[in-house]
Amino acid sequence: MDPALKFSMLLTLLGLVPVLVNASSSDFGHCERVVKKWALSSLDPQIKGDTRKLQDLLFFLHVPRTGGRTYFHCFLKKLYSKSLECPRSYDKLRFDPSKPKCRLLVTHDDYSMMSKLPSQRTSVVTILRNPVDRVFSTYEFSVEVGARFLVHPNLTSATQMAGRLRAKMKGVSTLDIWPWKYLVPWMREDLFARRDARRQKGSAEIYSKDPYEMEDMVMPLHEYISSPIAHDIIHNGATFQVAGLTNNSYIEEAHEVRHCIQKYKILGEHVLQVAKKRLDDMLYVGLTKEHKESATMFANVVGAQVISQQTASNMSRESVADNKSVIRKVDLDDCRALSQVHLLMLQNRALRCQILSSTVMTVRFTAENSCLCMTNSNFDQNAGQLPSTENDEAMKQNMTVEKLMEAYEVCISSLRKEQARRRTASLKRISPANFSKEGRLHVPEVVLQQIRSLNNLDLELYKYAEDIFAKQHKRTMEELFATERINNSYGAVWKVLVLATALILLFSLILFVNARRTTSKIKI
C-alpha cells in the first residue's frame, strides 16, 4: 500500500478516536442521569406505618422459580376465600380495579404494580432464590414446558393446537404468563428445529455426561444464558422485578433504565439500592433454600395476622346491642405482659388474664393493637372463632397457625408429586436429557462463573435478603417463645382459678350442709 495512503488513513483514524470517545462519554452521561433520576424518585421517603403489620391488601410479588406457586396454593388459598382474591390475580399480568374490595393479589408483575394499588394500605411479600439455582430452574422449566408440544408432528400443528386450547380455557395458560409467554415459545421453536435436524441426519445415539450440553436434542445451557432474551428477562431478573424495571413494568422509563444498566454495569448499584430498600419495607422476605424455616415463618408472620385480621374484622361488625358481653377498654399498662407480644403471635387464642371486679376476664387485641377485656358473664363462646361468611374455607375450619401448617404439609406433598409426574412425562420427549441436581454437577465451572457474572446484582440482593431473613427468623422465634411462656403462665393461672373456684364451691357446699343440719336441730 502506498505510504502516503497509509499515513492518510492513520490520520483519519486518529481523528475519529476523540469523536468516538466523546460519543461514548456523552451516552454514559445520559444513562447516568436517567438511572439516577429514576433511583432518586424511587427512594423518595414515604409516610408508612409499621411494616411488620399486615395492611388491608396483601401483594405477593412472585419472582418466577422461587416456590411462590406452592405458597399460593398451600398457604394463601387456605387463608383467603375466592371472593377476597383480586380477579384472576395469580395468572393476570395486569391489575383489574373492578373489584376494589379484594384483599389478596398474587402475580408475576414487578414492584411497579404498586402504582396501581393503595400503597399506604398494601403489604408486600416475596421469596428470593439463589441466582444460580434460579437460572438453572428457569432453563429447565422452559425446556420442560416447551417439550410438551413435541407430541405434535410439526411446529405449525403445535402452535395451532396451543392457540385453540388457550381460547377454550377458562383460566390462563402458562403461555399467557410473564416471563413464560416469551421464554416458552422461543424454546418450543428451538426444540422443533433440533428435532427436524435430527430427522434429516437420520437416527443417531445421543450420549453425554452433561445433560445441559446436548445440542442435538435441546439448546445447551451456555447458549441459553448468552441469548439476548435471557439478558433482557432472566439475568438479574429478581433485582429488576423488585425494583420494578422488568419488560412488564408500568414505569415508562423502565426499558431505558434497564438498557442503560445492562450497557454500563457500574450503574447497576443504583438499582440495587432501590431493590434493597424495597425488601426492607416488605412484610415478609422468604428464601427458597430455607424451605422449612421460610414456611414456618410465613405461617407465623403472615398467616397469623391474616387470621387475626379477619377475626377482628368480624368482631367489629357485631352490634353492641346484640352482644350482651360487657366490653371496656383497658390501659395497655394494665396488661403490659400481653401487649409486649405482637398481634401476629396471638394466633387467634383467647388469653385469660386477671380477676377484675371478681369477674374472670378474657383479653383480646383489636386490629389497632389496643387491649380489650370482655367479661365472661353472657360471653359468646363463638366470639373467638373465625366468621363463616363469604364461604371462606379458613373461617369455616376455625383456622389457626397450627392447622395452617398441617394443611400446608399435606398440600405441598400432593403438589410436588403432581409436578414431578408432569416433569417426568415432558422430559421423556427429549431423553436422554434429564435435568437433576446431580446433573448440574457436570456443568463446567466456566459456565457457572458466567452465570454469576451475568447475575451480579441478584447475587448481592440475595445476600441482603439472607440477612433480612436471619433477623426476621430470630425475631419471630423470640416472639413465639414469649407467647408460649405467656400461654403457659396464664394456663397455670387459669388452673389455679379453676381449683380455687372448685374449693370455694366445695366450701360453700359444706357450709350449706352444716347450715341445714343446724336448722334441723333447732326445729326439733
Side-chain angles (χ1 to χ4, degrees):
M1 183 181 290
D2 184 20
L5 181 59
K6 286 183 178 180
F7 184 70
S8 176
M9 292 178 63
L10 179 61
L11 289 177
T12 302
L13 290 173
L14 289 175
L16 287 174
V17 169
V19 176
L20 293 173
V21 170
N22 290 333
S24 176
S25 176
S26 175
D27 183 60
F28 175 79
H30 171 72
C31 274
E32 186 177 33
R33 288 190 296 273
V34 169
V35 174
K36 283 186 174 181
K37 181 181 179 181
W38 166 83
L40 186 62
S41 64
S42 300
L43 289 173
D44 281 345
Q46 298 180 357
I47 302 176
K48 289 191 174 182
D50 185 2
T51 57
R52 295 177 58 200
K53 179 182 176 183
L54 176 66
Q55 300 301 320
D56 297 333
L57 175 63
L58 179 63
F59 171 28
F60 194 115
L61 192 156
H62 181 189
V63 178
R65 309 312 296 167
T66 59
R69 185 169 178 268
T70 300
Y71 275 58
F72 174 64
H73 284 281
C74 300
F75 272 138
L76 296 174
K77 285 182 74 69
K78 299 185 182 304
L79 288 167
Y80 290 91
S81 67
K82 190 68 176 178
S83 62
L84 294 177
E85 291 180 37
C86 298
R88 298 171 70 180
S89 55
Y90 184 76
D91 301 314
K92 201 69 176 177
L93 291 174
R94 289 291 179 260
F95 176 64
D96 183 356
S98 65
K99 188 178 179 183
K101 293 184 179 181
C102 61
R103 307 288 293 275
L104 173 66
L105 176 65
V106 184
T107 173
H108 283 190
D109 279 290
D110 62 31
Y111 199 91
S112 65
M113 168 66 79
M114 289 292 285
S115 64
K116 305 294 181 182
L117 306 176
S119 59
Q120 299 300 317
R121 296 187 292 105
T122 301
S123 293
V124 186
V125 297
T126 194
I127 305 173
L128 295 185
R129 185 175 187 176
N130 180 289
V132 177
D133 292 336
R134 198 178 75 84
V135 170
F136 269 108
S137 184
T138 303
Y139 167 75
E140 294 165 2
F141 189 71
S142 299
V143 174
E144 176 191 337
V145 179
R148 294 173 189 170
F149 295 93
L150 290 176
V151 294
H152 297 277
N154 52 58
L155 178 61
T156 301
S157 173
T159 305
Q160 291 175 346
M161 177 58 72
R164 289 194 294 270
L165 288 175
R166 290 163 71 182
K168 293 179 180 179
M169 289 179 64
K170 293 182 180 180
V172 179
S173 166
T174 302
L175 299 175
D176 293 319
I177 303 174
W178 184 91
W180 312 117
K181 67 175 185 177
Y182 299 107
L183 298 177
V184 172
W186 169 52
M187 181 59 69
R188 179 179 61 193
E189 184 175 344
D190 182 83
L191 286 171
F192 273 96
R194 293 176 193 273
R195 189 176 77 172
D196 293 341
R198 289 197 306 274
R199 288 174 175 176
Q200 290 179 0
K201 290 192 300 184
S203 60
E205 185 177 355
I206 300 174
Y207 176 77
S208 173
K209 290 183 178 180
D210 184 0
Y212 299 89
E213 192 64 35
M214 293 185 175
E215 60 180 352
D216 287 339
M217 181 65 65
V218 63
M219 182 188 299
L221 177 62
H222 76 270
E223 183 179 329
Y224 182 85
I225 63 175
S226 301
S227 64
I229 191 172
H231 279 273
D232 194 42
I233 295 178
I234 301 172
H235 302 314
N236 289 320
T239 303
F240 286 137
Q241 197 167 349
V242 174
L245 293 173
T246 67
N247 65 340
N248 190 42
S249 178
Y250 286 100
I251 302 174
E252 292 183 4
E253 64 271 27
H255 174 74
E256 187 176 12
V257 173
R258 191 173 66 255
H259 172 74
C260 285
I261 294 164
Q262 291 167 343
K263 191 173 184 179
Y264 302 105
K265 205 170 183 178
I266 191 174
L267 297 177
E269 185 62 28
H270 298 291
V271 178
L272 186 61
Q273 293 308 312
V274 172
K276 287 180 177 179
K277 178 64 167 58
R278 298 269 164 82
L279 292 185
D280 285 333
D281 293 337
M282 290 186 184
L283 172 66
Y284 165 89
V285 177
L287 302 177
T288 306
K289 183 179 179 181
E290 305 295 338
H291 163 69
K292 185 65 176 179
E293 292 79 0
S294 284
T296 301
M297 193 163 75
F298 187 89
N300 284 283
V301 173
V302 181
Q305 289 200 75
V306 174
I307 295 170
S308 296
Q309 187 184 74
Q310 292 176 349
T311 303
S313 177
N314 181 61
M315 291 177 64
S316 67
R317 291 193 298 265
E318 294 179 354
S319 171
V320 176
D322 295 334
N323 191 348
K324 297 181 181 179
S325 299
V326 180
I327 303 178
R328 72 179 185 85
K329 193 157 186 172
V330 179
D331 189 274
L332 288 179
D333 290 335
D334 293 340
C335 48
R336 184 185 302 275
L338 292 177
S339 64
Q340 289 175 350
V341 183
H342 196 269
L343 170 65
L344 62 88
M345 292 293 101
L346 289 180
Q347 302 177 10
N348 195 34
R349 295 176 181 172
L351 300 180
R352 298 175 177 84
C353 59
Q354 51 194 336
I355 298 178
L356 298 176
S357 303
S358 301
T359 306
V360 178
M361 309 295 289
T362 300
V363 174
R364 291 187 182 279
F365 281 86
T366 65
E368 291 75 22
N369 210 26
S370 58
C371 190
L372 292 178
C373 284
M374 304 176 67
T375 65
N376 274 353
S377 57
N378 299 321
F379 180 73
D380 183 4
Q381 296 299 321
N382 295 321
Q385 296 181 0
L386 293 172
S388 56
T389 59
E390 300 179 313
N391 296 319
D392 193 319
E393 180 182 354
M395 294 180 182
K396 286 183 178 180
Q397 295 179 354
N398 190 22
M399 184 64 77
T400 64
V401 171
E402 290 81 2
K403 289 182 179 180
L404 181 63
M405 281 303 299
E406 291 174 3
Y408 171 80
E409 293 296 341
V410 175
C411 174
I412 192 174
S413 176
S414 176
L415 200 61
R416 283 176 173 172
K417 289 179 181 178
E418 176 60 21
Q419 291 172 341
R421 184 192 65 78
R422 297 189 69 182
R423 180 185 177 91
T424 301
S426 293
L427 294 183
K428 279 182 179 180
R429 308 189 187 286
I430 56 170
S431 180
N434 186 18
F435 307 125
S436 63
K437 291 182 179 179
E438 292 74 19
R440 295 179 186 181
L441 299 176
H442 296 288
V443 175
E445 179 61 31
V446 64
V447 176
L448 297 177
Q449 188 55 45
Q450 185 181 4
I451 294 175
R452 296 187 192 103
S453 177
L454 291 168
N455 291 272
N456 63 306
L457 298 179
D458 273 10
L459 285 169
E460 289 297 321
L461 187 66
Y462 184 71
K463 290 178 183 177
Y464 193 76
E466 286 183 311
D467 291 337
I468 292 176
F469 180 82
K471 293 175 183 176
Q472 192 168 29
H473 185 265
K474 179 181 179 181
R475 183 171 60 243
T476 302
M477 291 300 103
E478 289 174 349
E479 290 175 335
L480 278 172
F481 291 146
T483 303
E484 194 62 32
R485 285 197 298 270
I486 290 177
N487 287 340
N488 291 338
S489 62
Y490 279 99
V493 171
W494 182 246
K495 288 179 180 179
V496 171
L497 290 174
V498 171
L499 180 60
T501 302
L503 290 174
I504 291 173
L505 290 173
L506 180 61
F507 182 69
S508 299
L509 180 62
I510 293 173
L511 289 178
F512 176 74
V513 172
N514 289 335
R516 291 292 299 271
R517 288 177 179 175
T518 303
T519 303
S520 299
K521 291 179 180 179
I522 293 175
K523 288 181 178 180
I524 293 173

